[in-house]
Amino acid sequence: MQISEKIKNIRVSGTIKMAELARKMQAEGHDIIELSEGEPDFDTPEFIIESAFDAARNGQTRYTSVPGTIELRKAISKKFYNDNKVEYHVDDIIVGTGAKQLIFNALLATINPGNEVIIPAPYWVSYPDMVKIADGIPVIVPCDSLNGFKITPEKLHKAITNDTRWLLLNSPGNPSGAVYSSEELMALADVLRDHKKVSIMCDDIYEAITFGNNQFYTLVEVAPDLHDRVLTVNGVSKSHAMTGWRIGFAGGPNDLISAMSKIQGQSTTNASSVGQAAALAALEGSQENLGVWNLAYVRRMRLVRDRLSAVPGLALRDPQGAFYHFIKCSDLFGKTTPQGDQLTSDNALCLYLLQYAHVALVAGTEFGCPGYFRLCFAKSDKELIKACDSISEAIKLLT
Ligand code: PMP
Ligand code: GLU
């Protein structure tokens, strides 16, 4: 079959590639600890599952309105107002098949060939390829680890050209764990005010997961005057342990939401009706789990940090949010495995650790940041301890 030139140039998602490889090895009988794909290990709370059953039994098994049921969009509008102090009318909200599809549709709806999209690196694996599918040009801005991998106003200012269409801002960040403070967002807003043609996509999917004093803010909250230039993307995947239900949502200017809805109406129609009912229960029900899970994430983050920071050749900094450690490993480059192979990249190290430590991780190169690897700590303490021990043992074998 002929495959289009455009799609030939698109990478397979690095996170999904590694998770599939781990699943394949598991199917072959290997005991692999999968720390590559980023998702909570907690089960979706029972009351959410019950509400999906009820919805299915009550006939919510048909197509819904393309941008989502009115009940769910009302609950999302309330969530934006209560949690973020941001006003989005129900007509300015769209529900999609995961936050991923909404980011994709927003880019498809707005980019003309040659438009540039600023992506601070390290970035979530899918952003650059989504931009390319939409015929845009990803403009990768490497961010300094010493600044917590956050884009600075100076770097943003330098990256903006006449062709810039979007800035993609992800906080808490995947894989960096960076959480932008209100002051940092305000400083970026100052730059953005001078460039009215630039829209800003805020990927807030990890909003619920922040550590210590790192409080979550979204851009429109601290810079309300930018309201009509921002798409605020969020969802229940990470917050409510609902990755498989595939429900994301976004609030933004009505012309953008309508264009995204047009694309959805010609592609997937609507997010699953039963999934939407479950998301409604998630947003309207008790939020108790979020706090309990956050405590578990902090404990696990420290557990991994304490074990791996003692391993020569690895360097870790505590993330401010999300559930990833982004670990510097470039000091191990040049070392030789027991099989006589020289490790020359983070990809080679991840393959070595998969084969010899039986731990699946994702190379920093996939996130536009060579010399690092990402470890998802949304796993049980037992698995994490075993994984850290195995990684440590495998690294000790390098000469
Ligand atoms: N943005 C980031 C930064 C993510 O890590 C993910 C996780 N896949 C998504 C968006 C997509 O979320 P969803 O599962 O709701 O599509
Ligand atoms: N967001 C998760 C990750 O970064 C899930 C996989 C994906 O969609 O990329 O691992």
Side-chain angles (χ1 to χ4, degrees):
M1 181 67 73
Q2 172 179 302
I3 304 299
S4 71
E5 290 308 313
K6 181 156 74 176
I7 296 308
K8 274 191 212 159
N9 287 326
I10 299 301
R11 299 177 311 166
V12 174
S13 158
T15 47
I16 292 178
K17 189 171 59 188
M18 206 56 180
E20 293 294 351
L21 192 55
R23 283 187 197 111
K24 188 166 166 267
M25 286 181 70
Q26 268 158 351
E28 288 165 2
H30 298 285
D31 185 13
I32 304 292
I33 304 179
E34 210 280 283
L35 307 184
S36 49
E37 203 164 30
E39 63 178 339
D41 65 321
F42 301 112
D43 290 329
T44 302
E46 196 55 35
F47 75 91
I48 297 177
I49 295 178
E50 279 302 324
S51 71
F53 269 110
D54 289 347
R57 289 198 188 100
N58 293 336
Q60 291 183 50
T61 49
R62 302 193 166 83
Y63 295 131
T64 72
S65 153
V66 170
T69 65
I70 191 76
E71 294 80 10
L72 179 55
R73 281 183 290 141
K74 274 186 186 163
I76 294 165
S77 174
K78 226 192 257 173
K79 177 254 172 287
F80 277 133
Y81 189 73
N82 291 343
D83 295 354
N84 312 116
K85 300 170 206 72
V86 174
E87 276 187 63
Y88 283 119
H89 187 267
V90 286
D91 293 338
D92 303 336
I93 289 171
I94 182 166
V95 178
T97 304
K100 201 175 210 172
Q101 191 200 15
L102 293 167
I103 299 168
F104 185 87
N105 285 358
L107 293 169
L108 208 58
T110 52
I111 288 179
N112 284 325
N115 285 168
E116 296 174 357
V117 177
I118 297 176
I119 305 177
Y123 48 72
W124 178 42
V125 280
S126 296
Y127 294 151
D129 290 281
M130 285 182 177
V131 170
K132 285 189 202 159
I133 294 174
D135 290 332
I137 301 170
V139 175
I140 309 299
V141 179
C143 297
D144 199 337
S145 66
L146 295 176
N147 190 41
F149 291 117
K150 294 175 190 175
I151 190 165
T152 59
E154 297 72 33
K155 284 197 184 218
L156 174 60
H157 177 76
K158 261 199 189 155
I160 295 175
T161 71
N162 279 339
D163 292 318
T164 307
R165 182 68 193 82
W166 285 100
L167 162 67
L168 273 180
L169 209 54
N170 173 216
S171 173
N174 173 7
S176 66
V179 176
Y180 285 74
S181 68
S182 57
E183 291 78 17
E184 285 164 336
L185 288 175
M186 278 193 256
L188 294 179
D190 280 344
V191 175
L192 292 161
R193 282 192 189 98
D194 292 337
H195 300 278
K196 301 207 173 352
K197 275 168 40 190
V198 180
S199 303
I200 309 98
M201 200 173 315
C202 292
D203 179 348
D204 296 347
I205 195 78
Y206 295 97
E207 165 177 5
I209 309 164
T210 59
F211 309 132
N213 298 328
N214 296 292
Q215 202 180 328
F216 171 83
Y217 294 94
T218 194
L219 184 64
V220 184
E221 186 177 1
V222 304
D225 58 308
L226 297 182
H227 188 282
D228 292 346
R229 291 170 50 191
V230 175
L231 182 72
T232 306
V233 180
N234 211 321
V236 289
S237 297
K238 318 285 175 177
S239 55
H240 294 80
M242 292 178 68
T243 48
W245 298 77
R246 311 304 304 126
I247 302 291
F249 50 81
N254 191 263
D255 51 354
L256 171 58
I257 298 296
S258 301
M260 289 166 67
S261 199
K262 185 157 58 164
I263 297 174
Q264 194 153 288
Q266 295 285 31
S267 52
T268 52
T269 304
N270 57 264
S272 137
S273 60
V274 173
Q276 289 188 61
L280 177 63
L283 293 180
E284 291 197 326
S286 162
Q287 305 297 307
E288 210 179 293
N289 285 309
L290 278 59
V292 176
W293 292 342
N294 247 13
L295 290 178
Y297 291 140
V298 179
R299 188 185 66 242
R300 294 157 169 196
M301 181 264 280
R302 292 187 179 140
L303 181 156
V304 173
R305 176 249 279 156
D306 290 346
R307 280 170 173 74
L308 291 190
S309 54
V311 177
L314 299 184
L316 291 78
R317 285 163 62 111
D318 283 357
Q320 298 174 312
F323 38 56
Y324 307 103
H325 267 297
F326 199 50
I327 302 173
K328 188 161 177 272
C329 60
S330 50
D331 286 351
L332 297 174
F333 295 175
K335 298 227 177 235
T336 307
T337 68
Q339 289 63 43
D341 299 320
Q342 207 181 32
L343 293 177
T344 51
S345 67
D346 44 36
N347 267 306
L349 178 66
C350 286
L351 278 180
Y352 170 69
L353 292 174
L354 179 63
Q355 281 161 353
Y356 296 97
H358 286 173
V359 180
L361 304 153
V362 187
T365 297
E366 304 289 346
F367 307 97
C369 192
Y372 287 77
F373 65 81
R374 188 190 79 174
L375 179 154
C376 172
F377 55 77
K379 300 284 160 176
S380 72
D381 295 25
K382 198 171 148 211
E383 283 175 298
L384 292 173
I385 291 170
K386 191 169 168 209
C388 289
D389 288 348
S390 303
I391 292 172
S392 167
E393 285 304 311
I395 289 179
K396 268 192 211 144
L397 295 177
L398 300 173
T399 51

